[in-house]
Amino acid sequence: DIQMTQSPSSLSASVGDRVTITCRASQGISNYLAWYQQKPGKVPKLLIYAASTLQSGVPSRFSGSGSGTDFTLTISSLQPEDVATYYCQKYYSAPPTFGQGTKVEIK
Amino acid sequence: EVQLVESGGGLVQPGGSLRLSCAASGFTFSTYNMNWVRQAPGKGLEWVAVISGSGDNTNYADSVKGRFTISRDNSKSTLHLQMNSLRAEDTAVYYCASRYYSSGSSLGAFDIWGQGTMVTVSS
């Protein structure tokens, strides 16, 4: 199975900072990658699919990039409401594996 | 309104069984693949199983293969997960999820989720 490795596992940044989370696949997955946001005690929410397509209603400060094995989720200007854990998910082939998550906090 | 509502969670002893359900509404249930995803307390997301819209095709995570069975009743717009031989490590919130709004492969990028149902396996 293809493994997904996210980094960092956690980060602390100031409001307004640019935040970058990476996800690496153990094999090429084209652009079959999604990003989710899960706020504490809440259900996961899809942010980005096909590596870079923003889900409807998601703020434009979120963006995704990458193809093949290396992917990035960027928050251009961190806001207090962005405190959450972020997960990548590959869906190139079964099983649709999730990364281990990146917890984002405000400094 | 598109909605998924899980039920059936609870406390069960190791080796026991439990059947989860997910009631769907607001969309043509039979045309969408449906998934179960779980999250152990304080841990990350783990995909569990998928079933095709017709119910003819299923796939499972290795961790549950042979113990869990996913099924659906399209006449009732309901998804099920039969869980047998439960272990402590199956303790988790179980979500049903699917890709509904966005186009593309239905294997992932789940954009509709239920609120989850908690399963606790303990003696």
Side-chain angles (χ1 to χ4, degrees):
Chain A
D1 291 351
I2 298 173
Q3 304 303 314
M4 304 302 294
T5 304
Q6 264 183 259
S7 61
S9 56
S10 66
L11 65 90
S12 181
S14 300
V15 172
D17 281 355
R18 183 181 185 89
V19 169
T20 300
I21 299 168
T22 64
C23 186
R24 175 165 288 176
S26 59
Q27 300 175 37
I29 58 170
S30 184
N31 69 335
Y32 290 88
L33 187 100
W35 290 97
Y36 298 85
Q37 175 193 64
Q38 187 177 32
K39 295 183 178 181
K42 300 297 185 183
V43 175
K45 174 187 173 182
L46 179 67
L47 295 178
I48 287 168
Y49 62 95
S52 61
T53 303
L54 204 64
Q55 177 73 346
S56 176
V58 174
S60 59
R61 63 180 179 274
F62 291 94
S63 64
S65 65
S67 183
T69 60
D70 294 316
F71 302 87
T72 299
L73 172 69
T74 300
I75 308 173
S76 61
S77 177
L78 186 68
Q79 300 302 303
E81 60 266 33
D82 300 334
V83 169
T85 300
Y86 294 84
Y87 297 93
C88 63
Q89 180 201 32
K90 69 89 173 168
Y91 54 102
Y92 177 78
S93 60
T97 312
F98 292 91
Q100 73 271 30
T102 296
K103 187 174 184 179
V104 174
E105 298 176 323
I106 300 291
K107 191 182 295 182
Chain B
E1 178 192 7
V2 172
Q3 194 171 16
L4 300 173
V5 179
E6 300 94 338
S7 61
L11 175 64
V12 61
Q13 292 188 339
S17 298
L18 209 57
R19 190 192 196 207
L20 306 183
S21 296
C22 170
S25 59
F27 65 104
T28 307
F29 181 70
S30 61
T31 61
Y32 292 89
N33 291 358
M34 295 297 298
N35 298 267
W36 287 100
V37 176
R38 69 184 180 182
Q39 186 169 35
K43 302 298 184 182
L45 301 171
E46 180 186 16
W47 173 81
V48 173
V50 62
I51 187 167
S52 63
S54 65
D56 291 344
N57 296 295
T58 59
N59 203 350
Y60 299 90
D62 287 345
S63 58
V64 307
K65 201 171 292 182
R67 301 187 299 122
F68 290 11
T69 302
I70 189 172
S71 63
R72 64 192 299 160
D73 182 343
N74 286 341
S75 69
K76 297 181 179 178
S77 296
T78 303
L79 175 72
H80 299 289
L81 185 68
Q82 177 66 43
M83 304 186 296
N84 299 331
S85 303
L86 282 162
R87 307 165 179 167
E89 54 265 36
D90 295 319
T91 295
V93 174
Y94 285 74
Y95 298 100
C96 57
S98 185
R99 183 170 189 172
Y100 172 76
Y101 293 103
S102 57
S103 60
S105 169
S106 61
L107 191 58
F110 307 138
D111 51 20
I112 55 172
W113 295 69
Q115 85 288 351
T117 187
M118 182 71 202
V119 173
T120 303
V121 184
S122 175
S123 55

